[in-house]
Every structure is written in C-alpha cells, then in structure tokens.
Amino acid sequence: MEKRQKIYEGKAKIVYSTDDPGKVIQYFKDDATAFNALKRGTILGKGVVNNKMSAVLFERLAKAGVPTHYLGTLSEREMLCRRLDIVKIEVIPRNIVAGSLAKRTGLEEGVAVKPPIVELFYKSDPLGDPMITDEHVRMLKLATPKELVWIKRMALRINALLRPLLKRKGLILVDFKLEFGRAGGKLYLGDEISPDTCRLWDADTLEKLDKDRFRRDLGRVEEAYQEVYRRLVGSGS
Ligand code: UDP
C-alpha cells in the first residue's frame, strides 16, 4: 500500500490518500484541542494510544458484525481505512450524565442514564457543533430517515458491545462520539474510538482516564492515556 498526498488535516489526525482510491491512511497525531479549538496542546504518545485502542475496538466490533472502516494497522500511528463519505453528524451514546448533558439538563455528573440515550450534533466547526434533532437531520439532508434509524440503532448496539468489554478492563464507558460514513451504497462506522472521543472512568475510583484531564486541566494527562493503553493491550480479554 503506497501512501500518496495529504487529503485532510484535522485537529488530531491527518488523512492521506493511497494508490487505491477506495482506501485512505489515518495518521494519529499527539496534538489536542478542546472547546472548538480555543484550547490547544500536545499529549505525548496520544497518537499511538488512540491508533491502538481504535484498532482493538474496531476489530472487536467487526467480529460482532458491526461494519467499520478499519482495514488494518500499518504502524504505531497509521491505520488503513476504507475511504468514506462522512455523514456530518456526531452521534453520542450516553450511559452516565457528564459534560454538555449535565449543563443542558441540570442533572449531576455521574447520574445513570437508563436506558442509554443517543444524541446528535451537527458536525460543523464554524457553528461549534450544535445539538440537532432528527428533524434537523432531515431538513439539512445530512442523512435519509432510513439511514438515521440505522445509525441510531447501530450506535446503541456499539454501546452495548463496548460497555461490558471496557468494564472487564476496569473502565466505565460514560459517553462517546461516533461518526459514520458511506462507501459503495453502504454505511460504515468511521473515525476513531479513543480517550479523545470517549469518557472513561476508572471503575473503582471513578478517576477520569480520558481527554477531560486535558479539557479541565486535571494533570496526569499522558499517564491517563498510557493507563488506558495498558489495560486494553495488556493480557486477557
Ligand atoms: N466528543 C468528541 N468530540 C466532540 C465533542 C464531543 O469526541 O467534538 C465526545 C466527548 O469526548 C465525550 C462525548 O463526545 O465523550 C460527549 O461530549 P459532550 O457532548 O459532553 O461535550 P463536551 O462536554 O466534551 O463539550
């Protein structure tokens, strides 16, 4: 597989084309941003952790029948992926109240969300990713009603698969962000699943082991990413 030119550079990843028009390479950087890029920094080793965690979880999801863009790992920071036309919706399953859900509802962080819910946000940097409803999705033609039904059902299924898997590693999956995309008339899970895009709390101490340590200046940011890596890549299933 030959790496060609850069086709997109985001906050945490670079996407390269390859000699195969249906495949791209995701390169995971150590750069971190928060609050719509108002806060910037570097988390040393983050790219390696995010690439590995995403690969491990995409493989597990694929085994359970979830179509993902993951095709293989090329290096510590590079993943080969199916090229997708990304649906401009951030899909957020939530198991526990945190972050923007706490702000919007007045519920305390840590309250269980039973049953889990899925929220939708419009993927738009200039607008700051506002929350949207199914009707906005239809109005903006971000996805067809049939696609949206599939996406929301798949997001809950992915949540139901990842929650127990992470729990066995001593991690509580509080909430996370998924992105989906189209290729050849089919929908696939894309992007990444990592401590950048998930809230993960230690199951015993409830310590935050994710990007909230960076967002909220909690310290020991690198250590948290390394701890997640150790738990996921360490022995056992
Ligand atoms: N999230 C993300 N990218 C975004 C916004 C949110 O990966 O642009 C993830 C975030 O890490 C968390 C979940 O989505 O796991 C829910 O985030 P929330 O809506 O609470 O927003 P925040 O509090 O991060 O502003």
Side-chain angles (χ1 to χ4, degrees):
M1 183 58 50
E2 200 186 307
K3 189 154 130 186
R4 294 263 168 96
Q5 70 267 31
K6 190 193 282 189
I7 49 180
Y8 166 82
E9 177 154 8
K11 294 159 212 158
K13 292 191 292 291
I14 306 173
V15 180
Y16 296 93
S17 61
T18 68
D19 49 1
D20 181 335
K23 294 175 184 169
V24 296
I25 295 170
Q26 288 200 121
Y27 177 93
F28 289 78
K29 301 193 282 185
D30 285 350
D31 298 348
T33 62
F35 312 119
N36 204 16
L38 285 175
K39 183 181 169 88
R40 289 170 187 276
T42 302
I43 302 171
L44 281 179
K46 172 172 84 74
V48 176
V49 175
N50 290 5
N51 187 30
K52 182 68 186 180
M53 175 164 173
S54 298
V56 167
L57 297 183
F58 282 142
E59 276 174 5
R60 297 295 288 263
L61 291 172
K63 270 192 196 139
V66 175
T68 87
H69 73 155
Y70 178 77
L71 296 172
T73 296
L74 299 177
S75 74
E76 264 196 329
R77 288 177 185 270
E78 290 171 307
M79 175 184 287
L80 185 65
C81 300
R82 199 184 299 276
R83 186 178 197 146
L84 301 181
D85 169 25
I86 288 287
V87 174
K88 288 192 168 10
I89 307 172
E90 299 197 339
V91 183
I92 317 256
R94 296 187 178 267
N95 299 306
I96 293 177
V97 173
S100 72
L101 180 61
K103 285 205 200 96
R104 243 178 302 113
T105 59
L107 292 169
E108 288 258 346
E109 186 162 286
V111 171
V113 179
K114 269 192 209 161
I117 61 167
V118 176
E119 292 182 343
L120 307 174
F121 292 81
Y122 184 17
K123 210 172 130 59
S124 162
D125 284 337
L127 297 177
D129 298 345
M131 191 178 186
I132 51 173
T133 66
D134 293 30
E135 282 162 302
H136 297 126
V137 170
R138 192 175 340 128
M139 185 186 86
L140 296 167
K141 296 192 167 45
L142 302 179
T144 67
K146 205 175 140 210
E147 282 177 327
L148 187 59
V149 167
W150 185 94
I151 284 171
K152 288 170 81 175
R153 189 149 22 92
M154 191 54 72
L156 284 174
R157 203 167 135 218
I158 292 166
N159 182 48
L161 290 163
L162 293 184
R163 243 180 130 176
L165 191 161
L166 291 165
K167 192 67 194 297
R168 285 198 296 278
K169 311 288 182 181
L171 296 168
I172 296 173
L173 181 60
V174 173
D175 56 34
F176 59 112
K177 188 250 307 178
L178 298 172
E179 294 186 19
F180 294 88
R182 308 173 186 96
K186 270 190 66 185
L187 281 167
Y188 295 86
L189 174 63
D191 196 44
E192 65 180 282
I193 309 175
S194 72
D196 273 13
T197 63
C198 301
R199 282 196 171 92
L200 300 165
W201 293 353
D202 180 90
D204 294 327
T205 65
L206 302 185
E207 187 191 0
K208 297 183 194 331
L209 295 172
D210 56 57
K211 198 171 151 192
D212 269 350
R213 299 204 74 81
F214 169 79
R215 293 189 190 101
R216 303 181 188 184
D217 292 318
L218 299 175
R220 297 179 58 79
V221 183
E222 273 89 2
E223 288 83 349
Y225 278 75
Q226 292 305 323
E227 178 60 19
V228 169
Y229 184 98
R230 199 186 59 73
R231 291 193 196 185
L232 274 164
V233 179
S235 57
S237 65

